[in-house]
Every structure is written in C-alpha cells, then in structure tokens.
Amino acid sequence: MSRNSQLSVEEYKQREKTLYGVLNRLSSDEVRIEESIDDIVDCLSSIYQDGLFRHMYSRFYTLVAELDQDGRETLATNLSYIFNETQIRFRNGDDKVSELVCNSIAKVYDHINIEISRAIEATRHSETELSLEAELKRKEELIKNLSAKVKKANDDLSAVNNKYEKSTTDIIAVLGIFSAVVMVFFGGFSYISNAITTLSSVSLNRASIICLVAGFVTMNTIVTVMYMISKIIGRDVTAYCKKNETGTCKGCEKKCSSLLKLCRKLPFVFWLNICVLGLLILAVSYNLFLSNRIIILYN
C-alpha cells in the first residue's frame, strides 16, 4: 500500500476505471481478442508498468457477479489468451511486457478466475436452493391435493352413509306406517263389520253411531301412530303454518291454544274430526230425542 500512496486519489481511480473498462471489454462477445491483443496489452502495461498501482482483489467480485454465465466464460477465455500471450512476449524479451507487468496480469488472471469460480459456486448453490424450494413447493402442492382428495372422499363417504341411514330410516318409517295403518284399519274394519252384521237387530241410527265412533277412533289412532313414527325418524308430518316465517311453532311468539295448533298444523285431521263429531252428535241427539217424538207422531 506504500506504493499506492504515491499516486493521487484521482490517478488511482483513473487507472482502476481503465482496468475495469478493459475487463468489461474482455467479457463482451463483440471483442476480437486476436485483433485487439496489442491494444489491450499496451493498456495493461500503462496501468502496471511503474509499479505504483495495485488493484483491489475484493472489488473483482462485484464485476464478476454482474456478468451472466456467457460473459464470465468469455472473460475467462480472453484473460487466458492475454495471460499466455504476455508470458510468451516476456520470455521473448518484449520491451512493453516487463516482469512487473507480466506478474500483475497473472494476478489479475488468477483473481478473476477465483471470483468466477466463487460466482459459479454461488450460482450452483442458489440453483440448488431454488430447486429444493421448487421441489418443496411441489410436494406441498401434492400434499394439499391429496388432502383435498381425502377430504372429498370422506365427504362422499359421509354422504353415502347419510343416504344409507336415510334409506334405512325411510324403510322403517314406511314399514311402521304401513303396519300401523293395516293393524288399525283392519281392527276398525272388523269393528264396523260387526256393527253392520248386527244391523238387523238394532236400528240404523244406533248402527251409524257405532260406525262413527269406530271411524273416529280408527282415524285418530292412525294419525297418532304416524305422528309417533315421525318423531322417531325425525320427520315432520304437520302442515306449514302460514302465520310464521319458519312454518313451525319453534321461535313463534304467538301463543296458540292446543285446538288452534291442531287446526293450523293438522287441518285435515281437525276438520275430519269436526265432521265426524258433528255427525255423531246429530246421531246421538236423534237417538235420544227426535226418534221418540217421531214415533209418537206416527202413532
């Protein structure tokens, strides 16, 4: 560094700029090294011939790092040619290539090759890291896709299980309703047939009372059984209530009586019971009051 101190800052920077200009020129594909060798050797000789300039090895890395792969290869090839040429000229006694210049060019050649090797190794590590990162992302994506497929398979399996359970429940419900209807219907039908059989020994009015009572009991028994089965299988057999947005009594602020609930939720049962009860009341009233009066009138 004592020799460098003999140069002014401006002169040192100028020589350094000239050296980097030569190196950038040597990294270009456009330069023809055979034709430009004399000019380049003269330029390097002017930089190193007095021994006052010493390049900074640490600054070569920035220059090499900014070059692409082709630029590094071109720079290494051209510097190799210049190094060999200066060695030959020095051995042949060329006045422009002194031992100091020859050794300085050898150091430039050596330092540049070291930095190129470091840059190549850094690039290789970077590419390896990028490759590992890409492989990791690919595996993460693969795991993500497999997880999605597993989730879909589980959802499909759950859907199949739900359908199976639903179909089983539906079968049980149908069988239960059918069995209940058959049992109640045939029981009521047997009761009505017995009433019709005894029709010859009793009056028509009394037989109609028996039939209405049997029909009332049979119908309400069937509805009760169906309602109980609907609770077991989780189905709703009641009608949609137009007085509430949900159509059910849940969350409804209106306090309806049991009879009003029956009218709104099971209107067909309600009105059929009203008709049967009305007919039953008429039949009973006729049997208790009107029949005796009619007989008296005819007598």
Side-chain angles (χ1 to χ4, degrees):
M1 296 298 294
S2 60
R3 288 180 296 178
N4 288 342
S5 62
Q6 297 178 14
L7 290 175
S8 65
V9 176
E10 289 76 10
E11 290 177 339
Y12 183 86
K13 289 184 177 180
Q14 183 62 37
R15 292 194 184 188
E16 187 178 49
K17 182 178 179 181
T18 303
L19 174 61
Y20 287 130
V22 171
L23 294 176
N24 284 322
R25 181 182 175 188
L26 292 175
S27 65
S28 176
D29 293 333
E30 298 178 358
V31 66
R32 296 182 179 180
I33 191 64
E34 293 84 0
E35 299 177 359
S36 305
I37 185 65
D38 292 334
D39 182 42
I40 294 174
V41 170
D42 290 343
C43 187
L44 292 175
S45 297
S46 65
I47 296 174
Y48 291 106
Q49 65 183 354
D50 55 7
L52 299 178
F53 177 80
R54 183 179 179 183
H55 61 261
M56 301 298 292
Y57 165 64
S58 59
R59 297 186 183 180
F60 284 161
Y61 179 77
T62 304
L63 182 143
V64 173
E66 293 177 352
L67 299 175
D68 56 13
Q69 186 62 28
D70 293 338
R72 293 169 187 169
E73 293 178 357
T74 302
L75 177 60
T77 302
N78 291 336
L79 273 179
S80 176
Y81 184 84
I82 292 174
F83 170 73
N84 293 328
E85 183 67 20
T86 53
Q87 292 291 325
I88 293 172
R89 292 188 180 188
F90 172 70
R91 286 193 294 268
N92 292 335
D94 191 339
D95 295 336
K96 294 182 179 180
V97 183
S98 63
E99 182 179 1
L100 181 61
V101 172
C102 189
N103 291 336
S104 298
I105 293 176
K107 287 183 180 180
V108 173
Y109 174 64
D110 183 45
H111 292 166
I112 289 293
N113 280 332
I114 292 174
E115 293 304 324
I116 289 176
S117 299
R118 288 178 58 189
I120 291 174
E121 190 66 22
T123 302
R124 184 178 301 144
H125 281 296
S126 178
E127 290 176 352
T128 302
E129 290 178 359
L130 291 175
S131 178
L132 291 174
E133 185 177 355
E135 183 67 17
L136 181 61
K137 287 183 178 180
R138 188 184 69 83
K139 289 184 177 180
E140 289 178 351
E141 190 67 23
L142 181 61
I143 293 173
K144 184 178 179 181
N145 293 335
L146 290 176
S147 299
K149 289 181 180 179
V150 171
K151 184 178 181 301
K152 185 177 182 300
N154 290 332
D155 293 340
D156 293 340
L157 182 60
S158 299
V160 171
N161 290 333
N162 292 334
K163 288 183 180 179
Y164 174 76
E165 293 176 359
K166 181 178 179 296
S167 62
T168 304
T169 304
D170 291 341
I171 292 173
I172 295 173
V174 171
L175 291 176
I177 293 173
F178 180 75
S179 300
V181 171
V182 169
M183 291 175 62
V184 176
F185 178 76
F186 279 102
F189 185 77
S190 176
Y191 184 78
I192 294 173
S193 64
N194 291 332
I196 294 174
T197 303
T198 59
L199 188 60
S200 58
S201 60
V202 296
S203 63
L204 179 62
N205 183 48
R206 290 181 179 179
S208 63
I209 291 175
I210 294 173
C211 292
L212 288 172
V213 171
F216 179 82
V217 173
T218 302
M219 180 193 67
N220 285 284
T221 303
I222 293 174
V223 172
T224 302
V225 172
M226 291 179 64
Y227 182 78
M228 292 173 62
I229 293 174
S230 70
K231 288 296 183 181
I232 294 174
I233 64 175
R235 297 293 182 85
D236 190 8
V237 296
T238 59
Y240 184 87
C241 181
K242 297 181 180 179
K243 303 296 181 179
N244 188 7
E245 294 181 358
T246 61
T248 62
C249 294
K250 293 181 179 179
C252 183
E253 297 179 355
K254 297 181 180 179
K255 303 298 180 181
C256 300
S257 61
S258 299
L259 192 61
L260 187 57
K261 286 183 179 180
L262 180 63
C263 179
R264 289 179 176 176
K265 301 298 292 181
L266 294 170
F268 55 94
V269 177
F270 176 80
W271 291 112
L272 192 57
N273 279 325
I274 292 295
C275 293
V276 172
L277 288 175
L279 292 174
L280 186 60
I281 291 172
L282 289 176
V284 172
S285 299
Y286 175 79
N287 185 61
L288 292 177
F289 304 106
L290 297 179
S291 60
N292 293 331
R293 292 184 180 181
I294 292 174
I295 291 172
I296 294 172
L297 290 174
Y298 275 105
N299 291 333

